[in-house]
Amino acid sequence: MEQVTSGVGTVDAIPEECIVLEISGEFAHFRKPSTTSPAQTFGIPPRTTVAGMLAGMLGMERDSYYELFSRETSSVAVSLESSLRRLSVGINVLTTDGPNTSPTSGRPGKHITGHRQQTVFEVLCDPIYRVYVGLDDETVMDRMEEMFAAGKSVYTLSLGLSEYLATFEFIGRFDVSTHTGRATVRTAVPGEEVDLIPATDARYVTERSPAFMTTHGEGGRKADGSQTLTYDRNGGPIELRETPYAIVDGDPIVFS
């Protein structure tokens, strides 16, 4: 995995090859941790969410995959393939508590501790994402290619919330080439300062979202870093001035 310093002030990891999936669903919600009510959503899945989605598809246990998707051993990029449309909906939630054994109610091992409470959630309608992932672990890369090419997933794929089911299409496993210069990239661009060339019809969004997780204590987890991403909410590409980038299946992209 090649490490390069980008023109946007971040260090990007560019793998030698990557796997590409297109993921879509009717609804999505990637909750912003800093909001309470209404629950707001990121426009594209954070890097930690992408890691969780892929780990679930591979059938990995909770808290077992953080090292696999660390900043030193993985490269991830996400492109928005549809225009973002947001909708506010009321969802009934239940406060539950209890051990992870002896099922007692609607959730295994949990019992209801309070009344139903309706909370307003901001959701994304008909989102489509293209996910690019490269891992140092060749065994896992081979397993992803074999499973995803066959349309297999151990756990049901969803977009943020378990009820927002999703489908995926395996685009392929591709070699990655590295370049530097002016480029029109397909993916969200990481970095605090993005040297983009504005397009008159674009609607740029900058979001800071969780990027890495690590284990904490006995079976717990904690955040291990965030990243800032810039993308066009219309799903269009972003034209950048001098910057390192990668070419995957003919498309310029920027990994993080």
Side-chain angles (χ1 to χ4, degrees):
M1 188 172 292
E2 181 181 356
Q3 302 286 330
V4 295
T5 302
S6 78
V8 295
T10 62
V11 176
D12 300 325
I14 299 180
E16 295 180 355
E17 57 180 5
C18 74
I19 285 175
V20 184
L21 298 178
E22 190 158 288
I23 299 175
S24 61
E26 288 188 276
F27 300 103
H29 177 83
F30 311 112
R31 184 168 184 163
K32 292 183 177 180
S34 59
T35 63
T36 54
S37 182
Q40 297 180 348
T41 179
F42 294 109
I44 62 174
R47 200 183 195 279
T48 50
T49 302
V50 172
M53 292 165 65
L54 296 173
M57 294 170 73
L58 293 171
M60 294 181 175
E61 296 291 332
R62 179 185 174 91
D63 301 332
S64 68
Y65 56 87
Y66 304 142
E67 182 63 28
L68 183 67
F69 289 92
S70 72
R71 54 176 61 80
E72 293 84 12
T73 60
S74 67
S75 301
V76 174
V78 178
S79 68
L80 178 63
E81 300 292 315
S82 61
S83 180
L84 280 186
R85 185 162 61 90
R86 298 172 185 263
L87 179 69
S88 294
V89 299
I91 297 178
N92 289 332
V93 296
L94 295 173
T95 301
T96 60
D97 196 6
N100 291 322
T101 57
S102 63
T104 57
S105 62
R107 290 186 60 190
K110 303 292 183 183
H111 57 271
I112 299 170
T113 61
H115 298 295
R116 294 177 185 271
Q117 183 177 19
Q118 190 168 81
T119 301
V120 176
F121 279 70
E122 181 185 51
V123 301
L124 307 172
C125 302
D126 301 316
I128 304 173
Y129 304 101
R130 186 163 288 202
V131 173
Y132 304 77
V133 57
L135 303 176
D136 278 358
D137 193 322
E138 284 294 324
T139 302
V140 177
M141 287 287 287
D142 293 342
R143 187 179 171 202
M144 285 199 295
E145 180 181 21
E146 180 182 356
M147 286 186 59
F148 299 164
K152 295 180 179 178
S153 175
V154 175
Y155 295 107
T156 303
L157 180 62
S158 64
L159 289 170
L161 299 181
S162 60
E163 56 265 51
Y164 294 160
L165 302 182
T167 58
F168 71 92
E169 177 185 358
F170 178 72
I171 304 301
R173 181 172 178 170
F174 302 98
D175 291 333
V176 179
S177 60
T178 60
H179 305 267
T180 300
R182 182 167 172 163
T184 302
V185 302
R186 181 173 184 149
T187 56
V189 180
E192 298 295 331
E193 297 180 4
V194 177
D195 192 11
L196 61 82
I197 301 174
T200 55
D201 57 346
R203 300 182 66 183
Y204 299 109
V205 177
T206 297
E207 295 177 337
R208 187 163 182 80
S209 58
F212 306 99
M213 302 291 289
T214 186
T215 55
H216 173 63
E218 298 181 358
R221 62 180 179 178
K222 64 178 182 179
D224 189 31
S226 301
Q227 67 179 178
T228 300
L229 296 173
T230 298
Y231 60 93
D232 176 10
R233 62 171 297 170
N234 293 328
I238 295 180
E239 187 171 5
L240 300 173
R241 295 186 174 87
E242 187 78 7
T243 184
Y245 61 96
I247 294 288
V248 177
D249 192 27
D251 292 322
I253 69 170
V254 180
F255 283 102
S256 66

